[in-house]
Amino acid sequence: IVIGGPYSIIEFLTSGKIGKKTAPPYYLGPELLATEARIFPGNSGGPILNMKGEVLGLCDFGWPYHPIVNIEQIHFFTGIDDIKIVLPRLLKGGEIELSDFPYLIKDSEFLPMPHLKEIGLDAINMEGPVVLQRKSAIPMIFSFNEIFDWLITGDIIKKYDGKAVKTVSAIAKINLRYEPGKEIEVQILRKGKLMLKKIKLINVKTTLKNTSD
């Protein structure tokens, strides 16, 4: 059950079944749960409940209907387990900053073959998030990367914070546990060789605030 006030409508309620955890294409956050219950602008951040009134998570967004490929509108919410990861920090400090990976990364399955070849990768037997570029004003020039021991375009992330990862969403979920500035060890595959690197999490430019009394 979704409760909220989209488009300034008071006491608006929708309901529907819940599907499995998934990550919409090109979505860079933790995995979401899909639901048939409609989520509209104005519902975001509101609770989604079961028939017992228990909170299952918080509403995120609706994936729009696509008439060309005949995809019905799908709606997503963040599960309560992921919310519980940041809740202790939120209750303790009143306000927290979320962390982000300092590079633009994408799941290899969403990168077209021409792009993979352009950055020197072969899609065969390749699995894991692929580093595309650094999230800063400093260009990813090879000499800079070597001097500062940065990741480079085409690196495939195999382990993150000691855990095997296969998707960008898996990395995003681990980041929920840490504040910006946290140093994390990353195992990458570069030109067929496994290497260990370290990165520092950056601010995701999103702040969560405890507004309860």
Side-chain angles (χ1 to χ4, degrees), residues 90-108:
L90 187 61
L91 294 175
K92 181 180 178 180
E95 184 172 307
I96 61 172
E97 293 180 335
L98 296 180
S99 300
D100 194 14
F101 195 74
Y103 297 82
L104 175 61
I105 52 178
K106 285 190 178 181
D107 293 333
S108 55

Side-chain angles (χ1 to χ4, degrees), residues 70-102:
N70 196 30
I71 297 176
E72 295 293 334
Q73 188 169 18
I74 308 171
H75 307 267
F76 298 95
F77 68 96
T78 300
I80 192 67
D81 289 342
D82 288 346
I83 294 168
K84 286 179 178 179
I85 294 175
V86 299
L87 195 56
R89 282 200 291 145
L90 187 61
L91 294 175
K92 181 180 178 180
E95 184 172 307
I96 61 172
E97 293 180 335
L98 296 180
S99 300
D100 194 14
F101 195 74

Side-chain angles (χ1 to χ4, degrees), residues 1-205:
I1 300 172
V2 173
I3 301 173
Y7 307 113
S8 299
I9 301 173
I10 300 174
E11 297 179 354
F12 194 81
L13 182 149
T14 62
S15 63
K17 296 178 182 178
I18 294 174
K20 65 177 183 178
K21 270 196 170 185
T22 185
Y26 309 111
Y27 176 72
L28 302 180
E31 283 188 320
L32 301 174
L33 283 157
T35 177
E36 293 177 348
R38 294 201 164 195
I39 295 173
F40 299 101
N43 286 133
S44 300
I48 181 165
L49 314 170
N50 62 17
M51 296 302 291
K52 297 178 181 179
E54 298 167 333
V55 177
L56 302 178
L58 298 179
C59 298
D60 274 281
F61 59 89
W63 199 263
Y65 169 72
H66 199 306
I68 297 177
V69 294
N70 196 30
I71 297 176
E72 295 293 334
Q73 188 169 18
I74 308 171
H75 307 267
F76 298 95
F77 68 96
T78 300
I80 192 67
D81 289 342
D82 288 346
I83 294 168
K84 286 179 178 179
I85 294 175
V86 299
L87 195 56
R89 282 200 291 145
L90 187 61
L91 294 175
K92 181 180 178 180
E95 184 172 307
I96 61 172
E97 293 180 335
L98 296 180
S99 300
D100 194 14
F101 195 74
Y103 297 82
L104 175 61
I105 52 178
K106 285 190 178 181
D107 293 333
S108 55
E109 63 180 303
F110 295 130
L111 292 173
M113 181 64 74
H115 194 171
L116 291 173
K117 289 183 177 179
E118 184 180 319
I119 59 179
L121 294 177
D122 187 339
I124 299 175
N125 298 323
M126 188 186 72
E127 187 177 50
V130 178
V131 175
L132 298 181
Q133 66 184 50
R134 188 174 176 84
K135 292 179 180 176
S136 75
I138 304 174
M140 288 191 70
I141 300 173
F142 184 76
S143 58
F144 275 132
N145 296 326
E146 291 301 302
I147 292 172
F148 294 104
D149 200 31
W150 290 342
L151 304 187
I152 64 174
T153 300
D155 285 347
I156 304 171
I157 301 171
K158 308 304 287 185
K159 285 187 177 181
Y160 189 74
D161 197 29
K163 302 173 182 66
V165 291
K166 295 182 179 180
T167 64
V168 172
S169 291
I171 290 175
K173 182 167 184 174
I174 293 172
N175 289 343
L176 290 176
R177 302 180 181 278
Y178 301 119
E179 297 180 356
K182 169 72 175 179
E183 189 172 75
I184 292 182
E185 187 175 78
V186 183
Q187 184 192 66
I188 61 164
L189 183 65
R190 179 184 297 174
K191 297 180 181 179
K193 295 182 179 180
L194 289 173
M195 304 179 181
L196 289 178
K197 301 287 183 179
K198 288 186 178 180
I199 59 99
K200 277 191 177 181
L201 295 177
I202 61 174
N203 191 324
V204 79
K205 298 182 179 179

